[in-house]
Amino acid sequence: MPMVDRAAAKSILRLMTRDGRAIETSSLPQTDNRAAQDVETIFRMERVRLIAGLAKHVGDISLAEELAQDALVAALATWPQKGTPPNPGGWLMTTAKRRAVDLWRRRRMMARHEAALSHDIETGRASDHAAIEASIDDEIGDERLSLIFTACHPLLSRDQRTALTLKIIGGLTTEEIARAFLTQETTVAQRIVRAKKLLRDAGISFEVPVGAERDARLASVLEVIYLIFNEGYAASSGDDLIRPQLCQEAMRLGRILVGLAPEEPEAHGLLSLMELQASRFKARVAPDGSALTLETQNRRLWDRLLIQRGLDGLESVKRLDGEDGVHALQAALAAVHARAARFEDTDWRESANLYDRLIERVPSPVVALNRAVAHAMASGPEVGLMLLAEIEDEPSLAGYAPLYAAKGDFLMRLQRMAEAREAFDRAAGFSENAVERAFLLGRVAECGKALRAARSPES
């Protein structure tokens, strides 16, 4: 009998569950760990497209997830013994569609769907997997975009839209989404369940809307794509500071949106923002895995091609008269750093001015925190501390590591090492990311060393 490593299977199946917890795997067959890892790698690549394609046909995201899960279990049981098929995505889709037919037969419902799907499978040859997979693509050629627009339906609240898309498209667990939202895990889980039920009960079509309806949903879609990018750019938990695959997926979707709405300045602004931020990837982590700040990064490692694309995108924003857009302003902020050959060359006054404009559009505590950092660099750490004092009691920032990290930095620049050490220590205690936490603990050690040196008789 084929073998499936249960630990590896749980790692994959955790993506598929509604609440982010691993499902029961005691009934799975066994296989060697390497084979299961190979299946996991392929499934992670195909997962979103598989769910999106199935959701379009069955009209239910939860059922699509279950069908994809069944296809995964079948792959775990089959591929290690018979080899990976030439078109893994087509194999998974065909297997999931067969499972859908079986379900519909047993339930004596959806007869016309059963006939259509049965025809696809029963008349197809083994070598036709690519054609089956391609046949589910819509007019834009990307089922994932259809799923995002559906998840951003106005029937859902903003929080429901974002949580559902991060779960289904981004592949994040409810725990990871909760950290990105600065909210409780149970709250996020409830939003996802309710969102799926609302879409299912309303019979919403899984397709990209057109005309005014599409434009109305575009702002929400842009927001969700950026949240996916942001989780990859600064992972809220785990051992890695960045998760490039999430950022690549977000940028890919951003490029599709620009093609879909070429006269929409905010689509250009978002893509520009993501490209400018992604240009720093290679410089953000040192060879030993530690985090590097903008001040310590080797800017020769920055991706000049991505920077040029981002700057070109800002030119498109300007041409379309969209420079006051939320994403356009953030892209302009990223461009301030991209244009500086050295950290010392950064135009912090321009950055502070841009944040003053941005906070009028997005009066959020996180924007206020970043604004405080920019003003601290432009006018001194005392100004930064004054601005931080205005938001320190915000409930949404309680336990937010960047707040205490910024405070520690301001205090450190003022040589108030005891207070800085306390702030960095609090930040490290709140951080869920291993690389970020190690960096903050390093700052704690630096402050401690400075205090000991100050107390030394030789000083």
Side-chain angles (χ1 to χ4, degrees):
M1 166 155 319
M3 308 284 285
V4 172
D5 177 75
R6 286 185 170 83
K10 286 185 178 180
S11 172
I12 310 170
L13 293 172
R14 187 166 183 262
L15 291 173
M16 303 303 304
T17 56
R18 300 178 187 181
D19 59 4
R21 293 190 292 270
I23 66 169
E24 176 56 47
T25 56
S26 58
S27 60
L28 289 174
Q30 297 288 312
T31 192
D32 63 275
N33 188 54
R34 178 59 182 273
Q37 288 176 347
D38 290 342
V39 177
E40 175 175 7
T41 299
I42 294 171
F43 185 78
R44 286 180 183 275
M45 294 171 61
E46 299 290 343
R47 171 187 161 275
V48 175
R49 191 176 188 185
L50 179 62
I51 294 174
L54 291 167
K56 184 173 183 179
H57 284 286
V58 303
D60 184 338
I61 293 177
S62 294
L63 178 56
E65 288 181 293
E66 292 171 7
L67 294 169
Q69 179 178 298
D70 289 343
L72 168 61
V73 172
L76 286 167
T78 305
W79 295 1
Q81 299 300 314
K82 296 184 177 180
T84 303
N87 188 323
W91 190 98
L92 289 166
M93 179 61 72
T94 301
T95 300
K97 289 165 93 174
R98 285 197 179 104
R99 175 61 175 156
V101 171
D102 290 341
L103 286 174
W104 289 331
R105 281 173 176 162
R106 285 200 302 269
R107 295 175 182 177
R108 298 176 179 274
M109 62 185 296
M110 299 182 76
R112 64 186 180 86
H113 290 286
E114 175 187 337
L117 290 175
S118 295
H119 177 77
D120 285 346
I121 295 163
E122 292 167 4
T123 62
R125 300 183 300 277
S127 60
D128 288 339
H129 288 309
I132 293 173
E133 185 180 16
S135 69
I136 68 170
D137 282 346
D138 60 14
E139 60 183 5
I140 294 177
D142 197 305
E143 288 280 349
R144 281 165 283 203
L145 198 59
S146 300
L147 188 54
I148 287 183
F149 269 92
T150 301
C152 292
H153 195 281
L155 180 67
L156 306 180
S157 70
R158 175 184 179 275
D159 289 341
Q160 287 173 332
R161 294 194 297 263
T162 307
L164 182 61
T165 306
L166 286 171
K167 173 68 166 62
I168 302 300
I169 303 296
L172 305 185
T173 66
T174 52
E175 181 183 4
E176 291 169 324
I177 298 170
R179 292 197 184 101
F181 271 133
L182 304 179
T183 191
Q184 297 295 314
E185 185 177 349
T186 53
T187 302
V188 172
Q190 289 170 355
R191 288 173 186 167
I192 293 170
V193 170
R194 289 170 183 165
K196 290 179 180 178
K197 186 176 187 302
L198 283 168
L199 292 174
R200 182 181 66 246
D201 292 350
I204 302 299
S205 299
F206 286 76
E207 58 189 12
V208 177
V210 296
E213 186 182 356
R214 186 202 67 192
D215 295 339
R217 289 195 223 172
L218 185 60
S220 180
V221 171
L222 292 170
E223 178 186 30
V224 168
I225 290 175
Y226 186 49
L227 278 172
I228 293 172
F229 178 89
N230 227 24
E231 178 59 28
Y233 184 78
S236 59
S237 64
D239 296 328
D240 300 318
L241 181 66
I242 57 177
R243 289 194 271 179
Q245 71 277 12
L246 281 181
C247 295
Q248 292 297 334
E249 175 68 6
M251 287 191 289
R252 191 189 67 80
L253 292 170
R255 292 184 184 108
I256 292 173
L257 275 178
V258 166
L260 177 67
E263 297 304 309
E264 173 52 55
E266 277 290 78
H268 289 278
L270 174 61
L271 181 57
S272 172
L273 170 61
M274 294 190 294
E275 288 174 333
L276 288 168
Q277 289 182 321
S279 70
R280 308 174 200 153
F281 275 172
K282 291 181 181 178
R284 292 185 64 214
V285 182
D288 63 359
S290 59
L292 295 174
T293 64
L294 276 172
E295 189 171 2
T296 59
Q297 288 176 19
N298 180 356
R299 301 194 174 205
R300 288 176 295 180
L301 296 177
W302 287 7
D303 189 322
R304 307 314 300 182
L305 177 59
L306 280 177
I307 288 175
Q308 189 56 54
R309 286 179 178 174
L311 295 177
D312 289 345
L314 278 175
E315 287 299 315
S316 296
V317 170
K318 184 176 181 179
R319 174 179 59 81
L320 295 168
D321 196 25
E323 292 173 282
D324 282 329
V326 172
H327 294 107
L329 285 169
Q330 292 179 83
L333 282 161
V336 169
H337 299 292
R339 292 189 177 106
R342 303 176 305 158
F343 181 78
E344 294 79 9
D345 299 331
T346 305
D347 188 345
W348 289 108
R349 292 199 178 279
E350 173 65 9
S351 181
N353 290 336
L354 287 167
Y355 269 117
D356 289 344
R357 291 166 60 189
L358 180 61
I359 202 163
E360 292 180 2
R361 298 292 310 278
V362 188
S364 80
V366 173
V367 172
L369 170 59
N370 291 326
R371 174 174 174 261
V373 173
H375 277 278
M377 298 303 297
S379 305
E382 299 92 342
V383 175
L385 286 173
M386 179 185 69
L387 293 173
L388 281 188
E390 298 175 2
I391 60 172
E392 238 177 314
D393 294 331
E394 283 285 343
S396 62
L397 293 180
Y400 189 52
L403 170 67
Y404 300 100
K407 185 175 183 179
D409 183 72
F410 301 162
L411 291 166
M412 192 176 187
R413 293 176 187 272
L414 290 170
Q415 298 299 308
R416 293 160 60 177
M417 295 300 180
E419 296 170 87
R421 181 175 62 178
E422 180 183 353
F424 283 128
D425 191 53
R426 290 191 71 183
F430 289 129
S431 177
E432 296 289 341
N433 184 279
V435 177
E436 179 185 66
R437 186 165 56 251
F439 170 79
L440 292 167
L441 290 174
R443 284 294 175 93
V444 172
E446 285 181 52
C447 293
K449 183 178 180 181
L451 284 171
R452 288 191 296 273
R455 295 172 186 147
S456 170
E458 297 180 1
S459 63

